[in-house]
Amino acid sequence: MTDRWTRAEERYRQNAERRYRRDDLDWSEADDYEDDTTVIPRYEDELYEGEPYAGEEFDGNAPLDPEPPRRSAPQRTERGRADRGRRTERPGRAGAKAGGGRGQRPKRSRMASRKAAERKRRRRNLFVIAGVFAVLFVGAVGFAGWKFLGKLSGPEDFSGPQGPLAIIQIKPGDTATQIADTMADKGVVASSGAFYEAAVRNTNMNSIQPGYYAIPSHSKGAEAVTALFSKDARVGNVVISEGRQLHDSSDVNTGARKDGIYRKIAEASCVGTGSAAKCVTYEQLDQAGSTSDPMALGVPTWALERVKTVPDRSRQLEGLIAGGTLDFDPTAGAQDILKQLVAASARSYEASGLMQSGAANGLSAYDTLIAASLVEREALPQDMSKVARVIVNRLAVQQPLQFDSTVNYALDKTEVATTDSDRAHKTPWNTYAMPGLPATPISAPSLEAMRAMENPAPGPWLYFVTIDKQGTTLFTENYNEHLRNIEKARQSGILDSGR
């Protein structure tokens, strides 16, 4: 009995010594061994049961890894030796075999999963940004190369024969760059650069006037600049002398034709030369001015109602096209051309102060225009404001104006002095045969005549007469004195009729 206990104590002592010997353990597998020589402690995130790896689908039926079994002292039995042999295998591998070959990876914390996903997103964003920068870089390099090659070869330019004429408009204030763009848009040059390079070398560009120009299409840049300053380039530019009427008239003494405004517009509308010229005719303009609705002709609102009641429709635009230099698009039809000119003239009249003139002369805007046309035909510039005062004073006392210019307006042949029969013939314009103003203006007034009528000179005059061919004009409020002044005019021969 004693020997049995002795042997048992010996076996217990041997087992205890074997338990704490390091060579009895497989240190590569001893995950739970704590080495007290470790300087920096190892920290692990809190584990959550059932959490899958980042990027791995979670299997809710898979069992959790069991807690690693604590090691016990080996037994000196066959079963103990088998247990020691099995301890050399990793628990995961054993589990894999037990689970049909599918092992479980070590658990990963939720924070680690988020960090892994964040790293993946950063890598993806970096790839996208790098791609965008690559595309921009390639585009910038390509554009710079294209610009560089363009500078070496120069702007695109035509090289073949010129084409038909193209009409381009130069607006007030246009720069050389804007003119070049217009030339390119109209097909005159192949590129704006071709025109611009030639234009900046031509000092005449500083004096170019606004208006319409006919330039051959498909021209080289230098050719287009040269053509722009040729004498036939400008088209649609009409110069209307002050006092000119819409229709042609002839002088009673010489029989010479005096071209009317319609004739001047027709000549200015021609594009091209010789038999190839394209023009709007005098007859087309007369037809449009006589039959078109006043609104379609651009008649301003301040004249519209009076123009609608004009007794002779062929004269409805009289005075509404101002004297001076006007521009229009020569490629337009007759009605549109007239509309452009009437609208431009209305703006010019209004800018002179027409709409405020009633305070000084007591007349409406259209009546001021009519009176200004009389001033234009009756007076020289230095006497215009006095003649305007005579008109205002006579209208105030309802005295007939008795202007020869109003008699001549309805005649086929004009003359300085009219005959008794002419003055006796009653027309809507003859101020000898009726009081007040004519039915319409009788000519295109100048801006000087407009300003004179808008602000007449102060004075009591009721009469005036020009006494010599130099234009000397005498004014008076006394009728007997006026008769003496008329005799002076007869003696000078200025009042002699041609008939």
Side-chain angles (χ1 to χ4, degrees), residues 182-341:
T182 301
M183 291 283 188
D185 292 340
K186 291 291 186 177
V188 174
V189 292
S191 65
S192 59
F195 180 88
Y196 182 80
E197 287 191 356
V200 295
R201 295 192 294 267
N202 193 316
T203 57
N204 291 329
M205 286 299 298
N206 296 325
S207 60
I208 192 69
Q209 297 296 313
Y212 294 86
Y213 294 82
I215 310 296
S217 59
H218 291 80
S219 296
K220 294 181 180 179
E223 293 173 347
V225 173
T226 301
L228 185 62
F229 296 102
S230 64
K231 63 178 183 179
D232 298 325
R234 192 166 185 181
V235 292
N237 177 249
V238 58
V239 179
I240 299 173
S241 59
E242 294 82 356
R244 194 174 294 271
Q245 299 171 342
L246 283 177
H247 300 90
D248 295 344
S249 61
S250 59
D251 185 86
V252 69
N253 293 313
T254 65
R257 185 183 73 186
K258 183 177 182 180
D259 292 342
I261 293 175
Y262 286 155
R263 182 77 59 185
K264 292 292 185 180
I265 296 172
E267 293 174 353
S269 71
C270 294
V271 176
T273 57
S275 59
K278 296 180 180 180
C279 310
V280 176
T281 65
Y282 173 92
E283 291 75 19
Q284 289 173 330
L285 292 166
D286 186 23
Q287 177 73 11
S290 302
T291 61
S292 299
D293 183 84
M295 290 187 64
L297 292 171
V299 174
T301 55
W302 48 264
L304 191 58
E305 294 303 319
R306 294 284 296 278
V307 170
K308 288 180 179 180
T309 61
V310 168
D312 184 352
R313 291 289 303 279
S314 68
R315 302 177 188 271
Q316 66 179 353
L317 292 186
E318 193 73 81
L320 291 172
I321 299 179
T325 300
L326 300 171
D327 289 293
F328 62 89
D329 183 357
T331 63
Q335 178 177 298
D336 287 336
I337 289 175
L338 293 176
K339 182 178 181 179
Q340 292 177 51
L341 296 175

